[in-house]
Amino acid sequence: MSAPRRPTDPSGLERYYVLTGGRSGPGGSGSSLDVATLIVSRTGPLPGMQHEHEEILRRCRDPLSVAELGAHLGLPFNILAVLLADLLDAGRIEARDPIPAHHAGRGPDLALLQEVLSGLERL
């Protein structure tokens, strides 16, 4: 007779608990992260790193927003923020505030906004 099967956690909460070591939110340097913060790798992955940390370092060779990174990895913001805080504290990534268009010396790209609006209207 086979051993009783353990029920799986369809919500993924058990996986998230393991990924973050039981932490529910970032502390220290990770507490200032938001979805528009740009993340850039400062180093490459090391052997033996947690898989998610490796993926973050690989994907962020070029600046990537926290929102985009979360979508690529399939992780909710608070879980991703804990992982990013780990990498920030270790000096493996850099977090940059996005530069608003009005500070960059130009206003919003009206042609792009018009294309987006047209695309939404077609839906």
Side-chain angles (χ1 to χ4, degrees):
M1 209 167 163
S2 64
R5 292 195 63 166
R6 203 170 144 228
T8 59
D9 179 11
S11 68
L13 294 177
E14 185 176 293
R15 174 178 172 250
Y16 298 152
Y17 182 86
V18 171
L19 286 178
T20 62
R23 297 169 289 165
S24 61
S29 57
S31 60
S32 63
L33 294 172
D34 67 22
V35 293
T37 302
L38 298 175
I39 304 297
V40 184
S41 299
R42 298 178 96 189
T43 65
L46 295 174
M49 285 184 98
Q50 184 175 336
H51 173 73
E52 288 74 16
H53 286 150
E54 289 179 3
E55 275 300 304
I56 291 168
L57 293 175
R58 281 190 195 101
R59 290 183 182 270
C60 293
R61 288 182 184 127
D62 293 320
L64 196 62
S65 74
V66 172
E68 292 171 303
L69 190 55
H72 287 298
L73 298 176
L75 294 172
F77 174 78
N78 62 328
I79 303 302
L80 180 58
V82 170
L83 299 173
L84 292 172
D86 292 344
L87 293 170
L88 278 168
D89 292 341
R92 300 203 158 283
I93 61 170
E94 181 181 333
R96 301 177 184 170
D97 290 330
I99 301 171
H102 65 279
H103 286 123
R106 61 185 188 346
D109 184 348
L110 295 178
L112 176 62
L113 292 175
Q114 185 60 44
E115 286 182 45
V116 170
L117 181 59
S118 296
L120 289 172
E121 288 172 345
R122 286 192 297 265
L123 291 177

